Amino acid sequence: LELEHVGQWEPAQVLPFYRVQLLCYVVNDLVNARWLWERMPDAVKQDPEIIELWKIARLLWKQDPSAFSHILDPKWAQSNLGELMALLLEQLREKKLLLISQSHSTISLKSCSLLLGMSETEVQTLCMSKNWEVSGNYVKPTRPTASSEHDLSPDQLQALTDYVCSLDAR
């Protein structure tokens, strides 16, 4: 799609495209968001929404929790990007929750609220909805269950062992 807009240097015509594309990259692929920023015409980079999206991308790249305050800014609700910003917020929180569950046996509500960009009360409610144990000011995340698609049956494990042993014998 970007190639379709390359010849159009009128910012008003290409701004909607660049806004959506940059936001989609921020949601899924920060590396390509950076490359898109590098390719953008300077006139497009002057747009206030593009500037704010780029600020969010930089904060996310640095893993700065203050990115949530920029995403939660009420101005996005009035923008055409409001639904996509809500999606970005939801995906970021899900990724953070997964990381918390994989890396912490216990975490304080305060730390969790900073990581998720939510109040401690909201975090407590969210954690309880995820069946995490909340006691006092601490949360005990439930580790995610391992995916069954990588589980090997005893027969598969034996076949793999035999194959590796045959390679070693050569």
Side-chain angles (χ1 to χ4, degrees), residues 74-118:
K75 72 180 172 204
W76 294 114
Q78 297 148 2
S79 167
N80 292 339
L81 301 176
E83 289 181 29
L84 288 174
M85 291 302 284
L87 175 67
L88 172 63
L89 184 62
E90 182 182 325
Q91 285 194 350
L92 284 173
R93 283 191 175 144
E94 285 300 317
K95 286 179 185 177
K96 291 285 185 184
L97 283 168
L98 180 62
L99 287 173
I100 290 169
S101 69
Q102 292 173 336
S103 61
H104 290 80
S105 59
T106 303
I107 185 170
S108 70
L109 277 173
K110 184 177 181 178
S111 296
C112 201
S113 71
L114 285 173
L115 288 171
L116 297 172
M118 302 169 79

Side-chain angles (χ1 to χ4, degrees), residues 21-82:
Q21 187 175 14
L22 182 59
L23 180 54
C24 288
Y25 280 146
V26 168
V27 169
N28 295 312
D29 188 356
L30 287 174
V31 173
N32 277 318
R34 179 177 172 263
W35 291 117
L36 177 63
W37 176 259
E38 296 293 326
R39 291 190 308 267
M40 274 185 206
D42 289 335
V44 171
K45 290 180 182 179
Q46 303 308 315
D47 177 62
E49 284 188 347
I50 293 283
I51 291 169
E52 193 64 26
L53 286 171
W54 183 239
K55 186 184 297 183
I56 291 169
R58 288 193 328 253
L59 290 170
L60 291 172
W61 185 270
K62 295 176 187 176
Q63 297 186 4
D64 186 336
S66 67
F68 284 107
S69 63
H70 292 280
I71 297 169
L72 290 169
D73 194 324
K75 72 180 172 204
W76 294 114
Q78 297 148 2
S79 167
N80 292 339
L81 301 176

